[in-house]
Amino acid sequence: MIILENISKRFGSTVVLDRVHAEIPVGKTTFVLGPSGHGKTVFLKTSIGLLKPEEGRIHFEGREILKFSEKELYRFWVDIGFVFQEAALIDSLTVAENLSLFLTYQACLGQAETRSRVRDLLAYVGLEQMEKKFPEELSGGMKKRVAVARALAKDPPYLFIDEPTSGIDEENARILKDLIARLSRQGNKTTIIATHDRQMMQELADHVIFIKNRRIPFAGPASRIEEDRLKDLYRKESNGR
């Protein structure tokens, strides 16, 4: 179990998370929902220590990660795959070089093994012919698929994905949904996805966390949250923003 206990995060005077508590089951697919600007991305990044909260504790399968030294935190991140909303590829490197750089320095693979792994990863995300392309030559959806390939490079047990289908065309959104569905069916990863895609959540989620107005009004099994309840959560509260 991953437990966020009384987590508060603010930027200057702006409070983004206010003493939130959430439990994320291991080996399951958890969807983080909520209106835009209410803290989904901050929640993901805080969950693994990319952002430091002002208050609270994070227990990651028994490890309290906020007490980690910098060296311990970097070792912890070896087991984390993170897909950023904007893909965060290195523009000056080709697709293959983006993946190779990560494999060489993070997984310490040799050249032949790295080339083989890059080919396998690109085949997995359906981009076999894109090895020599630069990020600027790819569509937004293709960039996200490369980012997924990079996140999966070391076959991490934990995968965090921020807004996989937002701002991209329908074809790439469908491919990314299929990729996430394939990962969910494997059942050997803890996957946490921040998204607006309620249909994908309804199809794939084991667990749901809803964030609104800096708090978590719902967290629990996906079977407990029906469409009417979702509409009610999204509806603007009388005292909300």
Side-chain angles (χ1 to χ4, degrees):
M1 187 73 72
I2 302 167
I3 301 173
L4 285 78
E5 184 179 348
N6 295 320
I7 294 294
S8 293
K9 179 62 188 173
R10 56 182 174 268
F11 298 96
S13 60
T14 302
V15 179
V16 181
L17 300 174
D18 184 15
R19 293 169 292 167
V20 301
H21 181 93
E23 297 183 359
I24 301 170
V26 170
K28 303 293 184 180
T29 299
T30 295
F31 276 69
V32 181
L33 301 180
S36 295
H38 282 238
K40 296 189 300 296
T41 295
V42 172
F43 178 87
L44 255 61
K45 291 181 177 179
T46 303
S47 297
I48 61 169
L50 283 176
L51 292 174
K52 297 295 176 107
E54 279 70 35
E55 300 175 47
R57 295 186 293 180
I58 300 172
H59 302 276
F60 218 99
E61 293 201 70
R63 297 169 290 175
E64 194 170 340
I65 68 170
L66 296 180
K67 291 185 176 180
F68 282 176
S69 66
E70 185 175 344
K71 187 175 182 179
E72 288 171 329
L73 194 56
Y74 275 101
R75 283 202 299 264
F76 165 70
W77 284 336
V78 169
D79 287 335
I80 304 292
F82 199 102
V83 180
F84 294 89
Q85 185 171 351
E86 301 301 328
L89 303 178
I90 301 174
D91 292 335
S92 60
L93 300 181
T94 65
V95 166
E97 288 168 343
N98 264 279
L99 298 182
S100 297
L101 182 69
F102 185 76
L103 287 165
T104 299
Y105 287 97
Q106 296 293 322
C108 301
L109 300 183
Q111 289 186 358
E113 192 174 358
T114 294
R115 285 195 296 270
S116 176
R117 182 68 175 144
V118 166
R119 286 194 295 268
D120 289 345
L121 287 165
L122 291 177
Y124 188 80
V125 299
L127 293 174
E128 300 96 319
Q129 308 303 318
M130 299 295 170
E131 286 189 42
K132 296 182 180 180
K133 297 288 187 181
F134 286 90
E136 66 180 11
E137 300 176 271
L138 305 179
S139 69
M142 288 179 176
K143 289 179 184 178
K144 288 194 179 184
R145 287 155 66 187
V146 174
V148 170
R150 182 180 59 187
L152 294 173
K154 294 176 296 177
D155 193 22
Y158 309 100
L159 183 62
F160 289 72
I161 308 176
D162 191 11
E163 296 287 4
T165 59
S166 67
I168 63 176
D169 60 88
E170 289 186 11
E171 180 183 359
N172 275 295
R174 177 187 57 78
I175 292 171
L176 281 162
K177 286 181 183 181
D178 289 345
L179 284 171
I180 293 169
R182 204 185 321 168
L183 290 167
S184 296
R185 286 194 297 269
Q186 288 176 358
N188 62 346
K189 291 191 187 303
T190 300
T191 306
I192 299 93
I193 303 164
T195 185
H196 289 91
D197 194 328
R198 286 149 64 175
Q199 182 179 350
M200 181 167 60
M201 180 279 293
Q202 290 168 338
E203 293 172 359
L204 300 177
D206 298 308
H207 195 79
V208 173
I209 295 170
F210 195 95
I211 300 177
K212 184 175 182 179
N213 293 333
R214 305 176 297 277
R215 307 302 295 270
I216 296 179
F218 176 88
S223 59
R224 284 176 43 203
I225 186 164
E226 299 177 352
E227 183 62 24
D228 287 345
R229 173 65 168 143
L230 270 179
K231 289 179 181 178
D232 183 58
L233 286 168
Y234 273 104
R235 192 175 296 119
K236 191 172 184 179
E237 299 172 355
S238 59
N239 61 345
R241 289 167 55 176

